[in-house]
Amino acid sequence: MKSTNNGPDSEIEIGTACKNKSCQVRYEGTSSNETECLYHPGVPVFHEGLKYWSCCQRKTTEFDKFLEQQGCETGKHNWVAVKETVQRNNCRMDWHQTGSNVTISVFAKCADPTKTIVKVNQVSVDIFIVYEDDKIYSQWLELNGIIDIGKSCVKLLGSKVEIILKKAEPVSWGKLQYESQAGDHSQSS
């Protein structure tokens, strides 16, 4: 059968699983396109024995229960894995801290305020910046400490995006990112 959602030449086999995270629906014909997709738009987080999705924060210690968590957002099913066509760019990212704040600076000139999104929770930051009309910077960070979301802010400046995170406790962070990722993406202060 051919899909109307993924282009005229896309062949979808009966039984194909939806590619959206945590959606358990399988393709059973064109009627499957009419059903609602429940999925997680965030990323899985494994922190101090807890397992949860960055988008909804329903925490569990059991991996099977984590896998069974129903999605927190609704949308359309995605039967075919789509290759990313947008080129991601690397911008210089730096960070520094004071007794009460951690400031992350992403050096992306002329960030578009209508398309730039920074999502935070107490232990992570998800950064998506569109700058210089068509360039994209995307980064997810699991933080080395806990932040106060209500007292944190984002500033879009001419030459950079500043993400100012209020520390929940006035302690020094040895690294920006939690140890499990620090080897891959850490920046020095």
Side-chain angles (χ1 to χ4, degrees):
M1 298 205 122
K2 295 201 179 210
S3 166
T4 56
N5 283 4
N6 297 302
D9 298 326
S10 297
E11 297 261 345
I12 302 172
E13 291 184 29
I14 300 295
T16 299
C18 178
K19 305 300 184 221
N20 292 334
K21 298 173 204 158
S22 289
C23 181
Q24 302 298 317
V25 175
R26 295 194 171 273
Y27 187 77
E28 297 299 330
T30 55
S31 62
S32 299
N33 293 329
E34 306 303 318
T35 63
E36 212 169 51
C37 179
L38 274 171
Y39 67 99
H40 289 290
V43 294
V45 177
F46 303 100
H47 183 68
E48 295 182 357
L50 295 175
K51 297 141 189 73
Y52 57 96
W53 291 93
S54 64
C55 48
C56 61
Q57 304 286 312
R58 287 179 282 176
K59 297 176 181 171
T60 183
T61 55
E62 296 179 37
F63 191 71
D64 289 338
K65 287 190 177 182
F66 166 75
L67 292 175
E68 294 169 1
Q69 283 185 2
Q70 191 173 41
C72 60
E73 193 162 309
T74 59
K76 294 190 179 268
H77 292 291
N78 180 16
W79 306 115
V80 178
V82 178
K83 292 182 181 177
E84 190 171 315
T85 57
V86 176
Q87 182 179 358
R88 305 274 178 189
N89 293 284
N90 288 329
C91 294
R92 185 168 66 93
M93 184 185 83
D94 202 357
W95 73 286
H96 68 276
Q97 64 182 313
T98 63
S100 58
N101 293 324
V102 169
T103 301
I104 300 171
S105 298
V106 179
F107 293 88
K109 293 181 180 178
C110 305
D112 184 340
T114 63
K115 296 178 182 174
T116 295
I117 301 168
V118 178
K119 295 180 183 178
V120 297
N121 64 39
Q122 290 182 315
V123 295
S124 69
V125 178
D126 191 1
I127 305 166
F128 182 83
I129 301 171
V130 178
Y131 65 103
E132 295 180 10
D133 295 325
D134 62 346
K135 294 180 181 175
I136 293 177
Y137 173 84
S138 181
Q139 179 76 37
W140 181 82
L141 306 168
E142 184 174 2
L143 300 171
N144 197 36
I146 299 172
I147 63 168
D148 183 340
I149 300 166
K151 295 182 180 175
S152 298
C153 68
V154 177
K155 294 181 181 178
L156 277 63
L157 307 171
S159 61
K160 64 183 175 179
V161 174
E162 273 191 355
I163 304 162
I164 303 167
L165 307 171
K166 174 75 172 159
K167 294 178 183 177
E169 297 177 353
V171 296
S172 180
W173 294 9
K175 298 177 180 176
L176 174 62
Q177 295 187 78
Y178 181 66
E179 191 65 35
S180 66
Q181 292 183 344
D184 298 336
H185 306 289
S186 68
Q187 303 287 328
S188 60
S189 60

